Amino acid sequence: MTDHSYFTIDNLGLLIAAGMVVIAAGISVLMKLGVAKSLVWSMVRSFVQLLIMGIVLEYVIRQQNVWLVVGLIAIMLIAAVQITMSRAKGVPKGLVPIVLLSLVVTMLIMISIVAELIVRPHPWYAPQVVIPLTGMMLGNTVSALALAMSRFFESMRERYEEVGTLLALGATPWEAARPSVMSSIRLGMLPTIANLASAGIVTIPGMMSGQIIAGGNPLDAARYQFVILTSFSALTLLAGAIILALVYKRCFISYDRYLMPQPAQPLSVRDMLNLRKAVHSGAGNGPAHGTGTGARP
Amino acid sequence: MSPNPTPPAPHLFEASHVTAVMPQQGGDHTVFHDLSFHVDTGEVVDITGPSGAGKSTLLTAFARLNAHTTGTFALDGKDSDSFTPQQWRVRVSYLPQTSTLIGDTVADVIRLPWTLAVRQGERKQEPADMLADEHIRQLLDAMGCADIQLDRNPRDLSGGQAARVSLARTILTKPRVLLADEVDAGLDEENADKVADLLKRAAEQGAGVVRIRHRAPDGRANRIMVLSGGELSEQQAASAAQGEGRRA
């Protein structure tokens, strides 16, 4: 990996970066912005998470074992589902299988087309190709899905009069939900399309930057980036369409009657810890400190 | 009075054992329990009663739109479960109190029901111009809506016009039973009168019309029912009898 012109970052570099955050946090304290704690905490968290990811990736790439790759992807999928559910606001319970299904389908398509048809690595499961691709795609899809699902249920709540009128005129649930489905898919796609259009002018996308810093040929990097951006936008649309096609019926009950499901309480790690405390000691007082929300490797 | 033992012929529309239980914090709230109701072809039946008695709930239950109601409903003696929800609502059509006009022009608003899958088959049998602007124009004129241009944006309509467009949209779908939820609320006397005429005409053309009303009786109802305290009862004949002598 580190054979050619490649500038590594030493520990001093890490310290300097961390120092910048500490200074920023200091400014925050002085100006009473109230973000100092979360800033430092997020820094520590990201450092630990990235370090773990780095160690795990190094190991997996060295091993070149199919099952390790599959296992790592499975863990990433579960984390992606958890993050999607925690980011989506006002969605009902029981959507986990649907989110998982849509992520698995898009991921399988992504691996078979982007990795195997376009990049064609040897061996086919080459972790240094498959895993970063999966990670980037999941990151992209997760935010789009969370956005689309939140918007969908919000829109279905707002449109209750329209939905009622449509049903009264003989509309099927799909016909009554369609405007909400369309607008939420569109909203979920917006960031992806914006990325696609601004790439190369406003920004050098992360992947391309990384490849160039790692000493890659900028033209090769551009090709890679193009493939990633375009295929990801197609896959994001697909994931959104799958989810909404499976989810819209949740706004209706038997005999096609309109009934919005109760939004699920977002259950974070902190809630679960509090719950356990309450169960064990009968005194669930005050929010636990520093447990964060949903930390997963 | 309400339990009618073995009627000779089925009513046009009949509802029985209609119960509404609304979920609330700290236990469910029963709005009404085991109500019966019927309406026949050509009849206009008014439902009155205090606010919160569940009049709208009752009507949405009839159209089987309400998630918190149960009951048995039949059209010409045929149980609603033998219809698809869409077929049922095409025949037993609920008209909400607020006019929700979907579309960029009045013509689009009126056409909307024919864009739905449930009427796609029907559309082929209708005259080819069913959805043509001239046809809609004629129908609206015949309904006393000559003052409403088809290319108007529905948002620019007055309250009375919007109510009539909403009503026209439902009437033109020719429902067997028309459930009008206080469609004259907030209208001046003149517009309320026009709306009442439209409904009366729909009844004369063979529909059964059920109206929720808060206003004083307008002489168009064949029967007036009162929903109050969870009970549905027919109002005393004194005022209803006057309804027979129809004076506009």
Side-chain angles (χ1 to χ4, degrees), chain A residues 161-162 164-173 175 178 253-259, chain B residues 64-67 69 80 83 85-86 88-89 94 98 100 102 112 116-119 169:
Chain A
E161 282 184 338
E162 194 179 322
T165 301
L166 282 163
L167 289 178
L169 289 169
T172 59
E175 285 169 328
R178 193 165 45 197
I253 61 164
S254 63
Y255 216 81
D256 295 350
R257 290 174 293 175
Y258 168 70
L259 180 68
Chain B
R64 299 209 57 182
L65 285 164
N66 196 308
T69 54
S80 63
F83 297 84
Q86 286 71 39
W88 178 259
R89 289 168 194 154
Y94 172 73
T98 46
T100 306
I102 306 157
L112 173 85
L116 302 174
V118 68
R119 288 188 190 80
R169 175 178 60 190

Side-chain angles (χ1 to χ4, degrees), chain B residues 125-152:
Chain B
Q125 295 152 21
E126 294 282 339
D129 66 347
M130 180 60 230
L131 299 174
D133 281 8
E134 310 86 73
H135 193 65
I136 296 177
R137 181 73 271 158
Q138 281 174 16
L139 290 162
L140 283 185
D141 290 354
M143 297 170 96
C145 299
D147 56 321
I148 302 170
Q149 294 88 20
L150 288 187
D151 54 359
R152 291 271 295 276

Side-chain angles (χ1 to χ4, degrees), chain A residues 152 156 163 167 172-174 176-177 248-254 256-261:
Chain A
F152 175 72
M156 284 300 282
V163 172
L167 289 178
T172 59
W174 169 251
Y248 81 90
K249 284 205 167 182
R250 296 296 299 268
C251 302
F252 302 89
I253 61 164
S254 63
D256 295 350
R257 290 174 293 175
Y258 168 70
L259 180 68
M260 286 307 290

Side-chain angles (χ1 to χ4, degrees), chain A residues 159 161-167 169 176 179, chain B residues 99-113 115 154 165 169:
Chain A
R159 287 179 58 243
E161 282 184 338
E162 194 179 322
V163 172
T165 301
L166 282 163
L167 289 178
L169 289 169
Chain B
S99 326
T100 306
L101 305 181
I102 306 157
D104 294 330
T105 65
V106 170
D108 285 347
V109 171
I110 305 260
R111 258 191 286 264
L112 173 85
T115 64
V165 168
R169 175 178 60 190

Side-chain angles (χ1 to χ4, degrees), chain A residues 107-153:
Chain A
M107 190 211 62
L108 288 178
I109 295 176
M110 192 280 297
I111 289 185
S112 42
I113 294 182
V114 179
E116 304 311 322
L117 222 65
I118 299 177
V119 182
R120 295 184 295 265
H122 294 288
W124 65 268
Y125 53 83
Q128 64 268 44
V129 173
V130 173
I131 287 173
L133 282 182
T134 309
M136 282 192 291
M137 192 220 64
L138 287 179
N140 211 49
T141 320
V142 154
S143 34
L145 288 187
L147 206 58
M149 285 203 299
S150 311
R151 178 62 199 147
F152 175 72
F153 286 100

